[in-house]
Amino acid sequence: MNNILLPAVISALLALSPSPAHAQSAAQFEFISNDFRADLTVSQSPPGACRSGFSFDARWGGCVRQSSESGAESRSCPAGQTGTQRRTRSRTVYTHQNGGVQQGSWSSWSSWTGTCTTPAPVTPPAPPTPTPGTQFPIPQSISAMICSSGDPGYSSGGNSLIQSAYRNQLISYYRSFGIAGRCPESSGYSYWLSDWWSRASNAANGPFHDAGGSAAGLQWSTFVNGHMPDAWDDIKRAIDASAARNDEAGQGGVSAANGLCQRAANAAYGAGKTTATYILKSGNQCRVTAVH
């Protein structure tokens, strides 16, 4: 009976023995027999087939090394506050002995950290201390005046096709008008330019469409601009008539300009701190006449 079982047992032992390709595995075999039975004990000494730094993990089916990976994100503090906040999370990374990598699940995000601060209110600087004789312009925030091509609204006022020469002509007339001689405000500037262009367009419409009118090669805008001088006298009469109704040419215009200068002085130096008046024929300039 023993002679029959022994070869089978030896074959089983050989099958369990590590092959030369896996020589780093260490196994010990113990064979005990008697006339009726044979016992085989197989034990494997650590670390078995795992290299240094790796350990067997049944969940991942092999020898692995564990490490930790972290992730982070940041955000700006709410509007009106300064600073940055940050939060983190982590997960375990399993590096297989055979080179493969698997990641565990991310942990929950941590709470946001980082201090958000509200800046201290900025105290505006004290207004400058004026002296009698100090001069300053009426700012656009008080009255949007058009005094030159550098002022906002110069090119867009009225019809945009009106040439600069006629825009400057209207400004010059305003600055020489009446006692005050101030620059036109944007509303009046745009109104009279539009009226002027309309009158010139009416005068140009017939000739432009007559035989030989547009044949001269002129565009409509150029043709109408050529008729602007013909309508100028009508525009001047309309401006004068409008000014007569509110005394713009007389003391009414001066008083209105003085009021704008006082408002500008209050904004610049503080209410009740100064008295300011308009400088006649200056267009938009003011002068401090007293300091309180």
Side-chain angles (χ1 to χ4, degrees), residues 41-192:
T41 301
V42 180
S43 63
Q44 187 173 12
S45 60
C50 296
R51 297 199 301 267
S52 176
F54 292 82
S55 60
F56 183 81
D57 192 326
R59 294 173 300 171
W60 302 102
C63 300
V64 298
R65 180 178 62 226
Q66 297 184 21
S67 59
S68 180
E69 180 181 36
S70 62
E73 64 180 13
S74 59
R75 68 179 183 183
S76 299
C77 288
Q81 298 182 335
T82 59
T84 302
Q85 293 183 310
R86 185 174 182 272
R87 65 179 183 175
T88 60
R89 63 179 179 174
S90 62
R91 65 181 175 183
T92 301
V93 177
Y94 300 87
T95 304
H96 290 244
Q97 182 172 275
N98 62 9
V101 176
Q102 296 188 46
Q103 290 90 13
S105 301
W106 283 107
S107 65
S108 300
W109 284 106
S110 66
S111 299
W112 288 104
T113 60
T115 302
C116 294
T117 58
T118 301
V122 177
T123 302
T129 302
T131 58
T134 299
Q135 295 186 22
F136 57 93
I138 299 171
Q140 291 282 320
S141 59
I142 299 296
S143 178
M145 290 185 172
I146 311 295
C147 294
S148 69
S149 59
D151 292 322
Y154 173 84
S155 298
S156 59
N159 191 297
S160 61
L161 300 178
I162 298 174
Q163 294 174 356
S164 296
Y166 304 120
R167 297 177 183 275
N168 295 337
Q169 186 173 335
L170 179 63
I171 294 172
S172 295
Y173 187 71
Y174 258 83
R175 296 191 62 169
S176 62
F177 184 79
I179 300 174
R182 57 184 176 135
C183 298
E185 297 183 22
S186 61
S187 57
Y189 173 79
S190 183
Y191 174 83
W192 292 117

